[in-house]
Amino acid sequence: MRDDPLKVIRRIGRRAGQALPGPRPAVPARALTGTPLGLGAAAADARQAPDTTYARIRVRRRRPYPGHPETFGFEAWCHGVAPLPYTSGGGQRRPVSISLGNARQGGDPPSELLRSIRRWSLNQGPLTDWINRCRQVHGDSLQLVILDQTGFDLPWEALTLPPVPEAGLPGGMLGMLVDLARWFDAVRGGDDFPTDVAAPAGAVLGYFHPDMHSDREVFHAYEHRPHSGIVSFLRSLDEHTADRTGLVYMGCHGTFDQELSNLTLADVTWAEYHDHEMRLLGRDGSLVCLNACHSGRFLDHDGDGRQYLRGFTEVFLGNGAGGCIVTAGKVGDAEARELIRRLVETVTADPDRPVARALRAFRTAAHEAFLAEGGVPLLVRDDGTFDERGQRNVLRLLYSLMFQYYGHPLSTLHLTGRYADGPRPREGAEHER
């Protein structure tokens, strides 16, 4: 699943690479348009703002004219703040070099990738300014949901907001300043935002590839039904057990490709997962955590006659998961073990703290460690040698940003079976059939 980060950095050296929206309804009189930024103004969506209490951003892709570059645009709503009409322009061309999936062999050095994301953020002025207005109105209580229908691997958690000194607002990465969630309307196949708060409670149902057997240690204090066989694990998802399940966890390998048949999780294809009803999720609304490379990426596919974004997030949410924590790229083994331990500890430390806020705390802690190690380095040291340690520090920060959360921003998780004297005997047993 993962490359050793030292090997990755040595290889890369200094430079060692939802559906399409349907036709919009006619724009009524007095409808606003986004400010043209080089590719022309885009008509605003004439529908009413979603009836929810958190801030909402919808991101769509567009191609202004046949043969022109593919772009994206955004529209946004927040109580107490003037809405942001659909806006697209020259700074919203499809960015191919800022995907966190590029933090791998063949991609840019980590510091260059981070700098690319910062430059991309500067191009999103209409959006970052709007988010800062929301921060001024709502302060630390602001919650934000992004419904991204582009499939462009846009790293919203790393979107850098400028500071607003006169309002006392610090700048920084969005996922560290705001309780941030993503959404994908897999149930209705439309572009609605989440309305139901999930509060899954119960045991952990886990699958662990032999290479990631150590992930089991993270759950030693909780009631846990671990599996080392993918067939028995999927069978458990399709069955109604007597016990409630709060968390479904998979520690395994994942692959991403431009062919649907090559999207795999634990060597099982997207289509094979799609065939499973996963009735346990529908009953318990469990939070799903897919600790696997590229588990959060989407492929735009129309080979079966319907064009929309396919991915494992879509499958699990569509089958009733109360939320999903997924990864946007390829996380290194050593870092992943430590990160997933911190992630689970942060998410489960307070059952009343929403998952989105716990993930914000997780990213903030990673950023503080990053700054303590020196922040963004140059590629070379004073002696002209490649700064391997500095690049590893950036890579760890990028890994923390790869963990994305899909769900309602107020959803929580409560795991059962935590005991002062250790786990119950049943927690150590393998569930194989």
Side-chain angles (χ1 to χ4, degrees):
M1 166 185 166
R2 307 163 176 131
D3 289 343
D4 182 272
L6 287 174
K7 293 181 179 178
V8 170
I9 295 170
R10 289 193 184 102
R11 290 191 191 109
I12 60 182
R14 295 191 57 170
R15 179 79 179 179
Q18 145 119 175
L20 285 170
R24 292 184 179 276
V27 180
R30 297 179 297 174
L32 298 177
T33 58
T35 303
L37 298 176
L39 295 176
D45 194 320
R47 293 170 300 179
Q48 291 185 337
D51 185 19
T52 51
T53 56
Y54 50 80
R56 303 154 303 276
I57 299 173
R58 179 181 291 131
V59 189
R60 302 176 185 272
R61 65 181 181 181
R62 69 187 282 260
R63 191 184 297 275
Y65 307 102
H68 279 227
E70 208 169 21
T71 67
F72 69 92
F74 34 72
E75 54 190 338
W77 306 266
C78 180
H79 179 72
V81 179
L84 178 67
Y86 186 88
T87 304
S88 183
Q92 281 75 50
R93 288 190 179 187
R94 180 173 188 166
V96 297
S97 63
I98 65 168
S99 168
L100 292 178
N102 291 338
R104 52 166 173 73
Q105 179 184 357
D108 286 344
S111 63
E112 294 299 287
L113 175 56
L114 186 57
R115 287 188 169 97
S116 293
I117 293 173
R118 287 180 172 178
R119 293 194 303 273
W120 170 75
S121 300
L122 291 174
N123 295 332
Q124 314 312 316
L127 181 60
T128 56
D129 290 346
W130 182 85
I131 294 174
N132 274 340
R133 290 197 293 275
C134 297
R135 293 171 67 200
Q136 292 181 60
V137 171
H138 297 286
D140 196 51
S141 64
L142 177 65
Q143 299 161 339
L144 180 61
V145 177
I146 297 179
L147 196 162
D148 187 336
Q149 299 171 306
T150 65
F152 289 175
D153 289 342
L154 301 175
W156 295 113
E157 290 75 11
L159 177 72
T160 303
L161 303 181
V164 186
E166 62 273 20
L169 294 179
M173 294 184 179
L174 178 62
M176 301 170 190
L177 296 174
V178 175
D179 293 354
L180 176 64
R182 291 177 177 240
W183 187 244
F184 185 94
D185 187 17
V187 177
R188 289 173 291 275
D191 53 12
D192 293 331
F193 286 81
T195 57
D196 298 328
V197 176
V204 179
L205 174 64
Y207 167 75
F208 304 90
H209 186 275
D211 293 347
M212 301 173 70
H213 206 261
S214 61
D215 283 13
R216 290 178 52 177
E217 299 172 5
V218 176
F219 306 106
H220 76 280
Y222 299 101
E223 186 179 0
H224 186 196
R225 302 190 298 275
H227 293 259
S228 58
I230 189 62
V231 174
S232 65
F233 171 76
L234 290 174
R235 185 182 300 125
S236 294
L237 279 178
D238 282 333
E239 294 174 348
H240 280 177
T241 63
D243 298 326
R244 308 292 289 190
T245 300
L247 175 67
V248 173
Y249 179 89
M250 295 186 70
C252 57
H253 298 287
T255 62
F256 181 80
D257 192 81
Q258 294 305 309
E259 294 293 333
L260 187 62
S261 59
N262 292 332
L263 265 64
T264 68
L265 192 64
D267 297 321
V268 178
T269 68
W270 175 91
E272 290 172 325
Y273 280 101
H274 190 268
D275 284 346
H276 283 269
E277 295 182 11
M278 303 182 186
R279 290 185 291 270
L280 181 144
L281 296 181
R283 185 195 71 175
D284 297 345
S286 313
L287 176 69
V288 173
C289 180
L290 304 179
N291 184 22
C293 295
H294 310 296
S295 60
R297 300 181 71 183
F298 290 93
L299 173 65
D300 184 34
H301 180 77
D302 62 357
D304 51 13
R306 181 188 173 202
Q307 185 175 23
Y308 69 97
L309 298 178
R310 320 291 173 102
F312 297 109
T313 307
E314 163 242 339
V315 170
F316 283 92
L317 286 177
N319 280 312
C324 286
I325 297 174
V326 292
T327 62
K330 195 167 190 175
V331 183
D333 282 329
E335 282 78 5
R337 281 193 290 271
E338 177 62 17
L339 282 173
I340 198 62
R341 180 186 66 78
R342 289 190 214 157
L343 178 66
V344 172
E345 287 177 352
T346 304
V347 170
T348 59
D350 181 358
D352 295 322
R353 179 167 63 172
V355 174
R357 175 150 291 208
L359 279 171
R360 174 183 168 188
F362 166 74
R363 299 186 195 105
T364 299
H367 188 248
E368 290 173 351
F370 164 75
L371 294 178
E373 287 291 323
V376 186
L378 297 178
L379 290 177
V380 296
R381 303 173 185 270
D382 285 342
D383 61 3
T385 59
F386 185 69
D387 188 354
E388 189 171 283
R389 178 176 176 177
Q391 295 300 316
R392 285 187 63 189
N393 186 39
V394 181
L395 200 57
R396 284 192 292 268
L397 176 66
L398 294 175
Y399 284 160
S400 72
L401 292 165
M402 285 184 189
F403 290 99
Q404 302 172 344
Y405 167 64
Y406 285 76
H408 194 287
L410 289 177
S411 293
T412 57
L413 171 67
H414 180 241
L415 297 183
T416 58
R418 192 169 194 173
Y419 305 98
D421 56 351
R424 290 175 174 173
R426 62 166 293 176
E427 295 176 32
E430 288 286 346
H431 290 251
E432 299 293 349
R433 298 177 189 176

